[in-house]
Amino acid sequence: MKIRLLTEAAYNRIITLKETMSKKDRGYGVIPVKIQNITFAIPFRSNMAHKHGFKTVFHNGVWNGVDYSKAIIIAEDDLQPKAFKLRSEAEYQKVKNNKDKIQRQFEKYVNDYVSQAKLGTLPNLQRFGYTTLINYHEELGL
């Protein structure tokens, strides 16, 4: 399982989009996931207070995890070649052991978003209230 950082150029491009995580001095580790020839980067998050992702470890009173709602679409060259090291080996192992589950859950999240967008019901769903997918309607065929 590849865990990488975004290049500075990619980061500078995505911080201008709606709902993206944008703390300039903090590098976000991401997991690249491909769905129908689109490469998404799903970021790790140290305070995941919602259930729209995969929770990894409980640390300092909060869950860390992979946040599906903050995923972005990237090109392969938007990823730095060097691996990103997570803070804990336990978190890395949990992600590594659940990579297929993460892929399935994220695909379901994206497919549900597309379905709801086509129905016009997104504004009524808390699940998609702060998603970055609003930036990618053209890429998602909406």
Side-chain angles (χ1 to χ4, degrees), residues 9 30 35 53 59 75 85 87-88 94 122 138-139 141:
V30 298
I35 301 174
H59 180 72
K85 185 165 174 42
R87 283 184 248 178
S88 85
K94 187 160 185 187
L122 286 177
E138 184 176 328
E139 293 87 339

Side-chain angles (χ1 to χ4, degrees), residues 19 35 40 42-43 45 48 50-54 66-72 101-117 122 125-134 136 140 142:
E19 301 300 340
I35 301 174
F40 292 87
I42 310 170
R45 193 162 192 185
M48 233 173 74
H50 60 76
K51 56 185 175 183
H52 316 303
F54 179 79
V66 182
D67 191 345
Y68 303 152
S69 70
K70 298 302 176 189
I72 57 168
K101 181 177 185 177
I102 292 167
Q103 173 83 31
R104 281 191 314 275
Q105 287 180 345
F106 181 64
E107 279 188 49
K108 181 174 178 357
Y109 182 83
V110 171
N111 290 335
D112 288 353
Y113 179 86
V114 169
S115 295
Q116 295 302 315
L122 286 177
L125 299 174
Q126 182 181 15
R127 180 178 185 200
F128 300 116
Y130 298 100
T131 186
T132 54
L133 296 179
I134 61 171
Y136 303 112
L140 296 171
L142 297 170

